[in-house]
Amino acid sequence: PGVWLIRALFDHGARTAAAALDRHRPLDVAERTDLAYAPGDPDARLDLYYPAALAPGETRATIIWIHGGAWVSGDENQVAGYARLLAAEGFTVASVNYSLAPAAHHPTPTRQLHAALG
């Protein structure tokens, strides 16, 4: 039962922060969302954010953002506001999702994140 309380508290805070950041959404950011990084795993998804003016073949420093939530809460959408702000400053951001407890057990999220980094 404790896991559900932790999830509810963390998710509430994340929704509040996401709503506040959405008011500052930059217009010069492109995004590609819900991209699979491990075929066959429905939770192994990530979102990419990058400067809209990025030229073909141009590279930028990439930030890999693994959302918090103590392995029981959160998803990549909750940090989209932060990722957009970083992309507006010239970075590429990969916001990674993974399976949550209690449905997933250790080491599932660790393996997924290893796959995402690959």
Side-chain angles (χ1 to χ4, degrees), residues 18-97:
L21 283 170
D22 203 42
R23 293 192 299 265
H24 305 285
R25 177 180 256 189
L27 300 176
D28 55 347
V29 171
E31 6 185 303
R32 294 183 58 206
T33 60
D34 205 31
L35 302 170
Y37 63 81
D41 184 341
D43 294 330
R45 315 298 283 180
L46 61 81
D47 297 339
L48 292 176
Y49 302 86
Y50 50 94
L54 199 62
E58 182 181 1
T59 60
R60 299 289 179 105
T62 300
I63 297 168
I64 309 295
W65 192 305
I66 301 169
H67 69 80
W71 307 113
V72 300
S73 173
D75 67 47
E76 80 277 17
N77 299 318
Q78 292 175 339
V79 297
Y82 296 109
R84 288 182 186 110
L85 291 172
L86 289 166
E89 293 298 320
F91 296 95
T92 297
V93 181
S95 178
V96 182
N97 206 25

